[in-house]
Amino acid sequence: MSFPAKRLRRLRTSEKMRELVQETRLSSKDFICPVFVQEDLKTRIKIESMSEIERLPLEDINDEVKTIIDLGIPAIMLFGIPTHKDEIGSSAFDEKGIVQKAISQIREKFGDKIVIMADVCLCQFTSTGHCGIIQGDKIDNDISLVTLAKIAVSLAKAGVDTVSPSAMMDGQVAAIRKALDDEGFTDVSIMSHSAKHRSNFYAPFRNAAECAPKFGDRKTYQVPYTNAREAMMEVESDINEGVDIVMIKPALSYLDIIAETRRKFNVPVAAYSVSGEYALVKAASQLGFVNEDDITSEILTSIKRAGADMIVTYFAKSAARFLQQS
Ligand code: PBG
């Protein structure tokens, strides 16, 4: 009888041995926790499409941030739901806007104990639900850039650490960088949704943030999910425009893009595990088909193993809790 030349099972013999050879370790320090803040809201409301995720009134934001800090999570990503929407998305750059208020309140209370990131986009704030400004029957790239830059500066004035443009307008990183620098905000960083794909996995988020397009779709600005090389061109152009962190979005169906970005470039890579990824796991676990924490651990670890340095995930708090216990 011939013996196996290599016995890989030797390194799987005990828990401690497996720990010793473990290549990828998940930590609460990897997470960025999304937070939804809604203007004029009296009490928290549950988001129907995203079990256990809520929209919070401004008054509850500091409690939520305290919970996040206590769980060892280093960063939040703020999304605002305004009361007033118009064609130019003016609530997005209002210095008294809901996101601006949330930022200054968090900054005042917690100083630098948390990295405050905020989405820079128009779809929650425009009556059209599109991520850019409409001129005629088109989304006008360059007019939208002026507004995106204005939003970024208003968030910087409120005290944000990192702005996260997700509109997928060409040149958004360069426009925002220049505007921030011109206003003296040279330390405010940019984490761009660099390769944001036109994905069906965003559907539950549109219910969360009331940002579904009122007509048409986002195919003229988001990357087709068929195109990996095009995603790399998006990442490369953001790097050339001065981005600090690139983001790939969604995460789980895009691990190839995350891995390729990690191999090709030296910038920090974030992955956004989006609402649809969350909703699928929640639905399956509520039906009893999978164990929620076990499958979440596997999914988040695989995103990290693919090359992500950090993960925006709706599981941030629950994963931080099970990691504390393990
Ligand atoms: C809007 C925006 C979207 C998401 C984040 N910012 C939705 C979209 O592009 O339609 C999706 C996030 C998620 O699904 O979790 N710019």
Tab-separated table of all heavy atoms in Angstrom, residues 5 20 26 39 50 81-82 103 115 118 125 132 142 156 219 222 233 248 255 271 293 295:
chain	number	residue	atom	x	y	z
A	5	ALA	N	2.002	11.153	0.033
A	5	ALA	CA	3.278	11.867	0.174
A	5	ALA	C	3.125	13.084	1.087
A	5	ALA	O	4.037	13.468	1.797
A	5	ALA	CB	3.771	12.306	-1.200
A	20	LEU	N	-3.340	28.017	14.885
A	20	LEU	CA	-1.963	28.392	14.554
A	20	LEU	C	-1.745	28.604	13.055
A	20	LEU	O	-1.019	29.502	12.641
A	20	LEU	CB	-1.034	27.275	15.062
A	20	LEU	CG	0.446	27.573	15.165
A	20	LEU	CD1	0.703	28.664	16.193
A	20	LEU	CD2	1.193	26.286	15.551
A	26	LEU	N	-10.941	37.217	11.044
A	26	LEU	CA	-11.942	38.268	11.030
A	26	LEU	C	-11.895	38.989	12.377
A	26	LEU	O	-11.703	38.355	13.405
A	26	LEU	CB	-13.305	37.590	10.847
A	26	LEU	CG	-14.469	38.437	10.353
A	26	LEU	CD1	-14.170	39.045	8.995
A	26	LEU	CD2	-15.725	37.556	10.282
A	39	GLU	N	-34.566	62.520	8.945
A	39	GLU	CA	-34.996	63.837	9.435
A	39	GLU	C	-36.438	63.775	9.971
A	39	GLU	O	-37.265	63.033	9.429
A	39	GLU	CB	-34.934	64.812	8.249
A	39	GLU	CG	-34.841	66.248	8.618
A	39	GLU	CD	-34.485	67.111	7.397
A	39	GLU	OE1	-34.409	66.592	6.271
A	39	GLU	OE2	-34.278	68.300	7.597
A	50	MET	N	-35.034	44.829	5.464
A	50	MET	CA	-33.741	44.505	6.074
A	50	MET	C	-33.920	44.267	7.567
A	50	MET	O	-33.675	45.155	8.390
A	50	MET	CB	-32.738	45.634	5.842
A	50	MET	CG	-32.427	45.847	4.373
A	50	MET	SD	-31.403	47.290	4.123
A	50	MET	CE	-29.862	46.720	4.813
A	81	ILE	N	-31.816	60.339	5.299
A	81	ILE	CA	-33.101	60.361	4.594
A	81	ILE	C	-33.757	61.695	4.934
A	81	ILE	O	-34.202	61.914	6.064
A	81	ILE	CB	-34.013	59.174	5.009
A	81	ILE	CG1	-33.310	57.848	4.693
A	81	ILE	CG2	-35.341	59.215	4.264
A	81	ILE	CD1	-32.951	57.044	5.873
A	82	PRO	N	-33.769	62.622	3.961
A	82	PRO	CA	-34.276	63.969	4.247
A	82	PRO	C	-35.791	64.041	4.104
A	82	PRO	O	-36.405	63.163	3.492
A	82	PRO	CB	-33.613	64.797	3.141
A	82	PRO	CG	-33.571	63.855	1.984
A	82	PRO	CD	-33.345	62.483	2.567
A	103	ILE	N	-23.393	64.321	11.911
A	103	ILE	CA	-21.926	64.326	11.991
A	103	ILE	C	-21.451	65.226	13.133
A	103	ILE	O	-20.632	64.812	13.972
A	103	ILE	CB	-21.296	64.793	10.652
A	103	ILE	CG1	-21.560	63.762	9.550
A	103	ILE	CG2	-19.789	65.039	10.807
A	103	ILE	CD1	-21.233	64.257	8.156
A	115	VAL	N	-14.317	56.677	13.436
A	115	VAL	CA	-14.119	57.281	12.114
A	115	VAL	C	-15.511	57.527	11.526
A	115	VAL	O	-16.294	56.591	11.365
A	115	VAL	CB	-13.294	56.353	11.193
A	115	VAL	CG1	-13.204	56.952	9.790
A	115	VAL	CG2	-11.903	56.112	11.766
A	118	ALA	N	-19.303	59.303	5.480
A	118	ALA	CA	-20.665	59.610	5.027
A	118	ALA	C	-20.762	59.428	3.520
A	118	ALA	O	-19.831	59.763	2.775
A	118	ALA	CB	-21.047	61.028	5.421
A	125	PHE	N	-31.805	62.382	-2.106
A	125	PHE	CA	-32.156	63.797	-1.950
A	125	PHE	C	-32.858	64.399	-3.168
A	125	PHE	O	-33.385	65.495	-3.108
A	125	PHE	CB	-30.873	64.603	-1.656
A	125	PHE	CG	-30.165	64.114	-0.420
A	125	PHE	CD1	-29.179	63.138	-0.492
A	125	PHE	CD2	-30.522	64.610	0.828
A	125	PHE	CE1	-28.539	62.671	0.650
A	125	PHE	CE2	-29.885	64.149	1.979
A	125	PHE	CZ	-28.897	63.179	1.889
A	132	GLY	N	-27.541	61.558	-10.007
A	132	GLY	CA	-27.006	62.780	-10.588
A	132	GLY	C	-28.151	63.723	-10.927
A	132	GLY	O	-29.321	63.422	-10.668
A	142	ASP	N	-21.253	66.499	-15.611
A	142	ASP	CA	-20.396	67.557	-15.097
A	142	ASP	C	-21.146	68.520	-14.173
A	142	ASP	O	-20.563	69.041	-13.217
A	142	ASP	CB	-19.704	68.288	-16.255
A	142	ASP	CG	-18.789	67.312	-17.031
A	142	ASP	OD1	-18.859	66.088	-16.762
A	142	ASP	OD2	-18.018	67.765	-17.889
A	156	ALA	N	-17.632	67.997	5.245
A	156	ALA	CA	-16.332	68.297	5.863
A	156	ALA	C	-16.482	69.400	6.909
A	156	ALA	O	-15.925	69.320	8.005
A	156	ALA	CB	-15.325	68.697	4.787
A	219	LYS	N	-28.301	52.147	-15.289
A	219	LYS	CA	-27.363	51.506	-16.224
A	219	LYS	C	-26.428	52.476	-16.923
A	219	LYS	O	-25.391	52.069	-17.429
A	219	LYS	CB	-28.147	50.703	-17.271
A	219	LYS	CG	-28.711	49.409	-16.692
A	219	LYS	CD	-29.405	48.574	-17.743
A	219	LYS	CE	-30.009	47.349	-17.083
A	219	LYS	NZ	-31.111	46.764	-17.842
A	222	GLN	N	-23.674	53.087	-13.531
A	222	GLN	CA	-22.996	52.028	-12.765
A	222	GLN	C	-22.355	50.996	-13.702
A	222	GLN	O	-22.736	50.873	-14.865
A	222	GLN	CB	-24.001	51.373	-11.812
A	222	GLN	CG	-24.555	52.393	-10.799
A	222	GLN	CD	-25.538	51.813	-9.802
A	222	GLN	OE1	-26.058	50.723	-9.990
A	222	GLN	NE2	-25.809	52.552	-8.734
A	233	MET	N	-10.654	49.611	-14.710
A	233	MET	CA	-10.435	50.976	-15.220
A	233	MET	C	-11.032	52.002	-14.266
A	233	MET	O	-10.457	53.076	-14.069
A	233	MET	CB	-11.034	51.131	-16.624
A	233	MET	CG	-10.238	50.387	-17.684
A	233	MET	SD	-10.598	50.999	-19.341
A	233	MET	CE	-12.184	50.237	-19.644
A	248	ILE	N	-15.104	48.179	-3.642
A	248	ILE	CA	-15.763	47.319	-4.618
A	248	ILE	C	-17.142	46.993	-4.055
A	248	ILE	O	-17.282	46.649	-2.882
A	248	ILE	CB	-14.972	45.998	-4.828
A	248	ILE	CG1	-13.498	46.275	-5.137
A	248	ILE	CG2	-15.629	45.130	-5.901
A	248	ILE	CD1	-13.237	47.101	-6.351
A	255	LEU	N	-16.085	38.772	-5.679
A	255	LEU	CA	-14.812	38.444	-5.016
A	255	LEU	C	-13.659	38.452	-6.007
A	255	LEU	O	-12.520	38.776	-5.656
A	255	LEU	CB	-14.901	37.071	-4.330
A	255	LEU	CG	-15.895	36.941	-3.167
A	255	LEU	CD1	-15.854	35.541	-2.579
A	255	LEU	CD2	-15.631	37.970	-2.080
A	271	ALA	N	-14.658	46.568	0.771
A	271	ALA	CA	-15.733	45.881	0.058
A	271	ALA	C	-17.039	46.246	0.739
A	271	ALA	O	-17.083	46.367	1.969
A	271	ALA	CB	-15.529	44.375	0.110
A	293	ASP	N	-25.167	33.219	12.220
A	293	ASP	CA	-23.825	33.657	12.614
A	293	ASP	C	-22.741	32.860	11.891
A	293	ASP	O	-21.726	33.418	11.463
A	293	ASP	CB	-23.647	33.526	14.133
A	293	ASP	CG	-24.422	34.608	14.878
A	293	ASP	OD1	-24.924	35.547	14.229
A	293	ASP	OD2	-24.528	34.508	16.118
A	295	ILE	N	-22.904	31.385	8.957
A	295	ILE	CA	-22.801	31.718	7.527
A	295	ILE	C	-22.269	33.143	7.348
A	295	ILE	O	-21.525	33.434	6.408
A	295	ILE	CB	-24.146	31.472	6.809
A	295	ILE	CG1	-23.878	31.177	5.332
A	295	ILE	CG2	-25.105	32.629	6.925
A	295	ILE	CD1	-24.810	30.179	4.752
